[in-house]
Every structure is written in C-alpha cells, then in structure tokens.
Amino acid sequence: MDPVTIKDIARALNLSTSTVSRALRDSYEISPETKRLVMEYAEKINYRPNPIALSLKGNSSKALGVIVPQIANNFFSQAINGIEAIAYNRGYHVIIFQTHESYERELANMQQAVARRVDGLLLSLSSETSDLSHIKALHAQGMPLVLFDRVADELNVSQVVADNFTGAYAATAHLLSTGRRRIAHLTIPPYLSITQERLAGYRAALDAYGVPFDENLVRYGTFGPDEADQLVDELLAQSPRPDAFFTASDRLALGCLKALRERGIAIPEDISLIGFTNLQAAEMLNPPLSTVTQPAQEIGQLAAERLIELIERKHKAAPVSTVKLPTVLTVRGSSQRDPAGS
Amino acid sequence: MDPVTIKDIARALNLSTSTVSRALRDSYEISPETKRLVMEYAEKINYRPNPIALSLKGNSSKALGVIVPQIANNFFSQAINGIEAIAYNRGYHVIIFQTHESYERELANMQQAVARRVDGLLLSLSSETSDLSHIKALHAQGMPLVLFDRVADELNVSQVVADNFTGAYAATAHLLSTGRRRIAHLTIPPYLSITQERLAGYRAALDAYGVPFDENLVRYGTFGPDEADQLVDELLAQSPRPDAFFTASDRLALGCLKALRERGIAIPEDISLIGFTNLQAAEMLNPPLSTVTQPAQEIGQLAAERLIELIERKHKAAPVSTVKLPTVLTVRGSSQRDPAGS
DNA sequence: TTGTATGCGTTATCAA
DNA sequence: TTGATAACGCATACAA
C-alpha cells in the first residue's frame, strides 16, 4: 500500500514518466514490448494511480457529494446504500453531508461539496429550505445535480422520487374503501415536495369518493421527537372524531400508534391507521401497521446512475429527467369497518 | 462558487502567488496592509482553497474514511450520524465505504481510502475478516486508525466499542433471575469481536448462576435475511426445549420474535426473549421486545474525536486507547416465570 | 516584506 | 516510438 508512483516505474525501467503514463493507458503510440514491460512491472509493484493528482490535473474528482437531512433514518440510509453501491461500481466515491433539516447547513454543505470539487451532487432538501436560489445558482454554473425524494419542481433539475401522489392516493382510497370517512392526515413540514404530493394524493382520493376535504383534519409535524401525542390529541378533539389516520413519516406513524394505544383506542376497529413509512418490522408491531413504502434503495441507485450519466456526458446539453418510482401499499390486519361502505 | 484560485487574487492585486498564499495563511512575514488587501479581496470574490491541491501537496486532505459493513442498518447509520457531526465541526469530510460483509471489499475499500489520501480511517470489520494483516500494514505505515464496534484486540489500535460483555451478561442474568435456565443464544458470525464478547458475557452469567454452558444452545447466523426460522427450529428441537432466547442482532431479534409467534409460542410466558439490538420501536412490537442497546451515535462521535486527535498530533507517539461505552438493558413486559427462581 | 523556483503525481503538448 | 517540459493549485525554501 505504499504510495508508488509512475516515477518509480519510470526509474526502475529506465523510461520517462510520459512513456510510462502512456503505456499504462494503453496508448497506440507505445510499442507492444514497452507496454508489456510497464504493465507487468506496474502490476508487480501494485501501482495505483493517485486520484488526487488526477483530480488536480483533469477536472474530475471521481467523488459524488450526497447531502441529506439525516443519515440515521430508514429511508435515507437505504437510499445511501443504493447510491454507494452504484458509485462504487462506477469508480466514484461518496462524500456524505447532513443538513439536520437546516437551511444554513444545507447551504454550507453545498459550498463544502463544491470546494471539495465533487463531480456531482445528490441532494434531498431540508424541510427548512424554501429559497432555492443556492441550488439554481449551482445548477446554472453547470454542476451536475440530481435531486431525490425531497425535490422542487420549480428547479428544472433531474429528479428521482417515489410516486408520492399515487401512494397517498392508494392509502387514502384503501381507508375510504373500508368505510372510513373522517380520515386525519398527520404529516411533515409543508414546504416539502413530498408533503405536498402526499396531501394532493390524499385530497384526490377524498374527492374520488365524494368526501369533502376538511383542513382541520390535516396536521403538520416536524421531524422532532415526541410531538405526535399533541397532534393526535388535537385531531381526536375534532367532531366528529376521525375514524382513520394517515401519517407521513416513520416517527409520526410510531408516535400515532403509541398515542392511540395509550388512549385505549382500538386499531383498526375504532381508528384505522396507515403510515407512509420505511419502518422495519411494520408487520411485527402491535397492532401490525399498514404501510405505504418507498423503494428507497432503488431511488438511491437511480439517482446515482442518473448523476453519473450527467457527469460523464457533461459536454452535451444535459437533458432533465424526472423518474417516479411506484410505492407499495401493504395492508396489515383487517380494517374493514363497513362492508357496505360506498 | 466559481473555481477562483490564488492566482486570480495575485493577478488582480498585482502580487505574486506566494505573497497571496502567505497573506491568506496570516504569515508573520507579510505586511498588515497587504494582508488586509488580500483578505478582503479573497472574501469579496469568495475564494476557497482547493482541497485537492492541498491534498496533493501532501499536507492533509481533511477527509475521514469510514468503512462499515452496511449503511442501511440502525447501529451503523446512527454511528455515522455521530461521526459526521463531529467531523463537520472539526472541518473534516466523511467518505463512506461499505464492505457488505466482504473481506475483499474491505480490502479494496481500504486501498481506495488510502489512494484518496484520507487523513484517517474509521473502521468496523466485516464478518468475513479474519486475516488482519492489511490493517496491521496500514497501521504500521502510520495511518491514523480507529476501530469501532467490530474490533480486534490483537490489533493494538485505538478502539471505541460498547461494553458488549457487560451488556450480554446483564441480559442473560436478567433471564436467569426470572427463572430461565435453558437460554438459547442466537448470534452473529463467530469471527467478530462483538460476537465473542457477547458470548463471553452470556457464559459468565450462566457461570454466576451455576448453570452449565451448553454449546447446543448457541447458533451462529449471518447477516442474511430469513435465516432465523431455521435456527429457531433447530433450537426448539433441543431437549429440554429452551425457555429463553438471547439474540445478537436486529434481524435475528425480529426473525426470532416472528418465528416464535408463528409457532404459537407465547412470549415471554413460554419463552422469554431479549435482543441485543438498536431496533426502533422495540416497545411497540408485539409483544414488546426487551433489548440491550448500544449508544451508537456516541460511539461514532467518540471514534471520530479520537481519530481526529490522532491525526492532529500525528508527530507525537500515538497512544492507543480503548473506550468501552455502557449498553442499556431495557426490560419490556413481565418475564417473571418463577418468582422463587434461585 | 515580497518574489522566484520547485515539487506533489499525472497527463498533454511538443520535440526528437 | 519515446522523451522533455509545462501545467493543474498550492505551499515553501530560497533569493532578493
């Protein structure tokens, strides 16, 4: 693992560094014999080109920046898993940044990533971010950029997301189809694209079933801990009381489940619950949690693939693409309330 | 955010690059006036030193390599969270690698990290790794190195771990104190330090209670999916049948819980269960899962702090330290079988 | 106090 | 077919 350089090879073989360099790159202008010599010796002493030098020379660092709100999160850790897998196969490295849901941190992280000369950036917006000028600026400068999960349509940047609308629609429609009519929606901060899409899916399903939308049934949480109790109480205080909950994050699903249980409310008999979550072991919960899940790893993979594609054809005009991956609705336990439900 | 270099500043201010370089580093040999000029202009055009050039120069890359088996894992994603937080505060970046439990990948990742000129490496061994010579070699070369979670005592390298022995002891002792005598141990691959420590804690607790160790009650799994069923069946086939399970990973705990449930075995009445896991929502499971948890984030933080300390006093002899953090035993549900249990 | 030259590892340009 | 040289951005030994 010693830092053996092209110079060492040149010296040992009594060649110039340029010859060695060309031989290693299998250049046509080098004699087969010399090539063989160089290749063999390089192999023997386990030569590895110095990526730092390559970065400095060329304009590619072979590094991908990944900026996410939180690593310690089922969705994002799975997505990063997908990203890392693709990146590794394509010879890229992954530099991780967390925004902790802070706009300031997002900005700082982007600057750091740029300073690091990453070849491209995978970005999932913080929930505080409403001003998108930093991203526009970076994109305008030609930095390859792919947004995933938490995106922004106004950005005209490639995106990879789950089909949040359809997922939310399916969840809500399922609740409606089992006779629920007062469906509360416990969701995450309103700026986020995923919040809006899920809300839209929820509303569309209500519409389709002719159930009027009641904004009092929608509550926005943050990603902080222990907030579910209060939100659930607010919702339970509505009249008539909700007969179903549709929650938008792991934490809210768990918090809601717990709050309902603690208040002696039977799930799904009294109140039915579906969570938009990537929680593990949803089926092992008490009661089992019905879920809409996102293909997190696949989202990460596709985003990374897209980004690398963007990077490697940087010269050509970069087409903007949006990929929407299907979510999966898994119903657990019987939530049938009114078999005759319209 | 344009790649503005020291040259641009020099040209604009009609100075040499070395003067600018020194002024920016606040060197004593530059006049206050010149410094002010340079600083202000640099600020104005938003100059950021190119870390790639700095790395090549040989000083430091301000990058930390993190090599873990799997990112999409509660323990590791929390640990990385801690690592990233500390690194960010200290001006370091985090480059992530996954070994996917493969020795080959571990080796390749280490070489990549070295090639990338990381200033130091945080490492958690793959379950396949038994030959440690690659790590010894790297350490011998002076690469700052901190192992966490999955370590190796023979390595004489700084380590940050949870107190696996005591955690396993506590879990087993709890089971024993509630009258259990046939405690099965469903664990992870045997090479791992954490496996051995947990096994030792398990055995020590048995000893303390005068219960003979029965190797038939110990089963080693991998980190693959869906293996718990078979292992549980093997254990249930023992005679007499186990009256408790102590499992060593998130997946095994969940798999075991599920397998027992499916076989109609009441927990904890028939068989008591404690998992060494960082699962979320253990209390919301059916039945609630008793756990021993590791302070994952803190382990990450301490490991990162230790590594940065090592890096920044590289010249002095690097002392080797081992930090052991306490685990937390949380008993959920009543597992009392025999109140008079010896 | 400031400038010039050199080198980190590599590739590209130009010469031989 | 091969070699010498410059350049990427920066820091530093040495000159001035």
Side-chain angles (χ1 to χ4, degrees):
Chain A
M1 298 205 195
D2 273 4
V4 36
T5 79
I6 221 169
K7 272 188 186 167
D8 300 321
I9 303 181
R11 201 162 20 223
L13 265 45
N14 215 16
L15 289 168
S16 75
T17 57
S18 26
T19 303
V20 174
S21 171
R22 277 181 285 227
L24 287 170
R25 318 193 74 236
D26 202 23
S27 162
Y28 65 97
E29 37 187 5
I30 299 292
S31 78
E33 175 59 9
T34 307
K35 273 187 197 170
R36 197 184 52 73
L37 239 60
V38 171
M39 299 284 209
E40 277 176 7
Y41 187 70
E43 179 73 18
K44 184 181 151 211
I45 64 174
N46 197 29
Y47 167 79
R48 296 277 176 267
N50 181 340
I52 304 281
L54 290 176
S55 305
L56 186 58
K57 189 79 180 74
N59 271 326
S60 127
S61 62
K62 288 285 181 183
L64 266 31
V66 176
I67 301 182
V68 295
Q70 260 287 352
I71 295 166
N73 167 294
N74 290 310
F75 175 80
F76 287 116
S77 64
Q78 288 170 41
I80 293 171
N81 177 22
I83 292 169
E84 200 277 341
I86 297 296
Y88 179 89
N89 286 337
R90 305 287 235 98
Y92 286 81
H93 294 90
V94 174
I95 306 183
I96 294 274
F97 303 87
Q98 300 192 79
T99 63
H100 298 289
E101 306 290 359
S102 147
Y103 170 74
E104 299 292 342
R105 280 290 279 267
E106 182 172 299
L107 204 59
N109 286 338
M110 281 182 57
Q111 287 168 350
Q112 293 283 358
V114 172
R116 278 268 146 195
R117 303 297 192 270
V118 295
D119 288 344
L121 217 41
L122 289 161
L123 185 56
S124 201
L125 299 176
S126 98
S127 52
E128 257 185 45
T129 301
S130 57
D131 178 0
L132 299 170
S133 49
H134 56 307
I135 300 174
K136 284 178 190 158
L138 198 59
H139 188 230
Q141 285 175 223
M143 167 71 82
L145 212 54
V146 174
L147 266 59
F148 69 102
D149 191 49
R150 301 176 177 193
V151 303
D153 280 331
E154 97 180 64
L155 236 30
N156 198 34
V157 164
S158 285
Q159 312 181 340
V160 181
V161 294
D163 190 342
N164 287 281
F165 177 91
T166 306
Y169 186 100
T172 311
H174 171 75
L175 292 169
L176 290 160
S177 76
T178 57
R180 312 289 164 163
R181 284 300 175 269
R182 295 277 296 163
I183 302 174
H185 184 29
L186 204 49
T187 187
I188 48 182
Y191 279 140
L192 295 174
S193 59
I194 50 178
T195 308
Q196 293 165 14
E197 296 256 312
R198 292 172 193 176
L199 183 60
Y202 162 81
R203 293 189 66 157
L206 291 178
D207 271 4
Y209 278 75
V211 174
F213 171 73
D214 177 356
E215 66 179 345
N216 290 318
L217 288 178
V218 177
R219 284 287 183 287
Y220 297 92
T222 65
F223 291 97
D226 304 327
E227 58 181 359
D229 275 358
Q230 194 198 327
L231 296 172
V232 168
D233 280 335
E234 288 174 22
L235 287 164
L236 290 179
Q238 302 288 321
S239 161
R241 200 178 80 170
D243 53 14
F245 277 71
F246 171 42
T247 62
S249 75
D250 290 6
R251 195 168 263 154
L252 287 172
L254 239 31
C256 188
L257 194 62
K258 189 176 177 192
L260 292 176
R261 252 177 43 180
E262 285 173 356
R263 283 157 186 68
I265 295 170
I267 305 170
E269 293 75 15
D270 297 337
I271 291 184
S272 193
L273 173 62
I274 296 187
F276 212 123
T277 108
N278 279 59
L279 262 181
Q280 299 159 41
E283 63 168 326
M284 304 299 289
L285 292 171
N286 178 23
L289 178 67
S290 295
T291 55
V292 185
T293 56
Q294 299 171 270
Q297 183 175 339
E298 206 179 341
I299 288 176
Q301 289 176 346
L302 286 179
E305 278 169 4
R306 183 75 188 107
L307 181 62
I308 292 171
E309 191 183 316
L310 241 42
I311 291 169
E312 298 188 347
R313 20 167 110 174
K314 210 167 177 175
H315 41 294
K316 296 166 199 163
V320 169
S321 70
T322 294
V323 180
K324 263 204 175 88
L325 265 38
T327 58
V328 178
L329 171 66
T330 308
V331 176
R332 298 189 174 92
S334 128
S335 52
Q336 201 68 19
R337 148 164 289 190
D338 166 24
S342 65
Chain B
M1 299 204 192
D2 272 4
V4 36
T5 79
I6 220 169
K7 270 188 188 169
D8 300 321
I9 303 181
R11 198 160 22 221
L13 266 44
N14 214 16
L15 290 168
S16 75
T17 58
S18 41
T19 303
V20 174
S21 171
R22 278 181 283 231
L24 288 171
R25 318 193 74 237
D26 203 20
S27 162
Y28 65 96
E29 37 185 4
I30 299 292
S31 78
E33 175 59 10
T34 307
K35 273 186 196 169
R36 197 183 54 73
L37 239 60
V38 172
M39 299 284 207
E40 278 177 6
Y41 188 70
E43 178 72 18
K44 183 181 152 212
I45 63 173
N46 197 28
Y47 167 77
R48 296 276 175 268
N50 181 340
I52 305 277
L54 290 176
S55 305
L56 185 58
K57 195 77 182 65
N59 289 328
S60 95
S61 62
K62 287 287 180 180
L64 267 32
V66 177
I67 301 181
V68 295
Q70 259 286 352
I71 294 166
N73 166 295
N74 291 309
F75 175 81
F76 287 116
S77 63
Q78 289 171 38
I80 293 171
N81 178 21
I83 292 169
E84 199 277 341
I86 297 295
Y88 179 88
N89 286 336
R90 305 288 235 98
Y92 286 81
H93 295 91
V94 175
I95 305 182
I96 295 274
F97 303 87
Q98 300 191 79
T99 63
H100 298 289
E101 306 289 358
S102 147
Y103 170 75
E104 298 293 341
R105 279 291 277 266
E106 182 172 299
L107 204 59
N109 286 338
M110 280 182 57
Q111 288 168 347
Q112 293 283 358
V114 170
R116 279 265 149 197
R117 302 296 190 270
V118 296
D119 288 343
L121 216 41
L122 289 161
L123 185 56
S124 202
L125 299 175
S126 99
S127 53
E128 257 186 44
T129 302
S130 57
D131 178 0
L132 299 169
S133 49
H134 55 307
I135 301 174
K136 284 178 189 158
L138 198 58
H139 189 229
Q141 284 175 225
M143 168 70 83
L145 212 55
V146 174
L147 265 60
F148 70 101
D149 191 48
R150 301 175 176 195
V151 302
D153 281 330
E154 97 180 65
L155 234 30
N156 197 34
V157 164
S158 284
Q159 311 182 340
V160 181
V161 293
D163 190 342
N164 286 280
F165 177 91
T166 305
Y169 186 101
T172 312
H174 171 77
L175 292 168
L176 290 161
S177 76
T178 56
R180 313 288 165 163
R181 285 299 174 271
R182 295 278 296 162
I183 302 174
H185 184 30
L186 203 49
T187 188
I188 48 183
Y191 280 139
L192 295 174
S193 58
I194 50 177
T195 308
Q196 293 166 13
E197 296 254 312
R198 292 171 193 178
L199 183 59
Y202 163 82
R203 294 189 65 157
L206 292 178
D207 271 4
Y209 277 74
V211 175
F213 171 73
D214 178 355
E215 65 178 346
N216 290 318
L217 288 178
V218 177
R219 283 289 182 287
Y220 298 92
T222 65
F223 290 97
D226 305 326
E227 58 182 356
D229 275 359
Q230 195 198 326
L231 296 172
V232 167
D233 280 335
E234 287 174 24
L235 287 165
L236 291 179
Q238 303 288 320
S239 161
R241 199 178 81 169
D243 53 14
F245 276 71
F246 171 43
T247 62
S249 75
D250 289 6
R251 196 168 262 156
L252 288 172
L254 238 32
C256 188
L257 194 62
K258 188 175 178 193
L260 292 176
R261 254 179 40 179
E262 286 173 356
R263 284 155 185 70
I265 294 171
I267 305 171
E269 293 76 16
D270 296 339
I271 291 185
S272 192
L273 172 62
I274 296 187
F276 211 123
T277 108
N278 279 58
L279 261 180
Q280 300 159 42
E283 62 167 328
M284 304 299 290
L285 292 171
N286 178 24
L289 178 67
S290 295
T291 55
V292 184
T293 57
Q294 298 172 270
Q297 184 175 339
E298 206 179 342
I299 288 176
Q301 289 177 345
L302 286 179
E305 277 168 6
R306 183 75 189 107
L307 181 62
I308 292 172
E309 192 182 317
L310 242 43
I311 291 169
E312 297 188 347
R313 23 167 109 174
K314 211 166 175 176
H315 41 296
K316 297 166 198 162
V320 169
S321 71
T322 294
V323 179
K324 261 203 176 88
L325 265 38
T327 58
V328 178
L329 171 66
T330 307
V331 176
R332 298 189 174 91
S334 127
S335 51
Q336 202 67 21
R337 145 163 292 189
D338 166 22
S342 63

